[in-house]
Short mmCIF file of all heavy atoms in Angstrom, two decimals:
data_model
loop_
_atom_site.label_atom_id
_atom_site.label_comp_id
_atom_site.label_asym_id
_atom_site.label_seq_id
_atom_site.Cartn_x
_atom_site.Cartn_y
_atom_site.Cartn_z
N THR K 144 -82.29 -27.04 -3.36
CA THR K 144 -82.78 -28.33 -2.88
C THR K 144 -84.20 -28.20 -2.35
O THR K 144 -84.52 -27.27 -1.60
CB THR K 144 -81.86 -28.89 -1.78
OG1 THR K 144 -80.56 -29.08 -2.33
CG2 THR K 144 -82.38 -30.22 -1.26
N SER K 145 -85.04 -29.14 -2.73
CA SER K 145 -86.45 -29.10 -2.34
C SER K 145 -86.62 -29.48 -0.87
O SER K 145 -85.67 -29.90 -0.20
CB SER K 145 -87.26 -30.06 -3.21
OG SER K 145 -86.92 -31.41 -2.92
N GLU K 146 -87.85 -29.35 -0.39
CA GLU K 146 -88.14 -29.69 1.01
C GLU K 146 -88.02 -31.19 1.28
O GLU K 146 -87.79 -31.59 2.41
CB GLU K 146 -89.55 -29.21 1.37
CG GLU K 146 -89.71 -27.70 1.33
CD GLU K 146 -91.15 -27.27 1.55
OE1 GLU K 146 -91.99 -28.16 1.77
OE2 GLU K 146 -91.43 -26.06 1.49
N ALA K 147 -88.18 -32.00 0.25
CA ALA K 147 -88.08 -33.46 0.43
C ALA K 147 -87.18 -34.03 -0.67
O ALA K 147 -87.64 -34.67 -1.61
CB ALA K 147 -89.48 -34.09 0.36
N PRO K 148 -85.87 -33.81 -0.57
CA PRO K 148 -84.96 -34.27 -1.62
C PRO K 148 -84.77 -35.78 -1.58
O PRO K 148 -85.02 -36.43 -0.55
CB PRO K 148 -83.65 -33.55 -1.27
CG PRO K 148 -83.71 -33.38 0.21
CD PRO K 148 -85.16 -33.13 0.52
#
Side-chain angles (χ1 to χ4, degrees):
T144 299
S145 69
E146 295 174 2

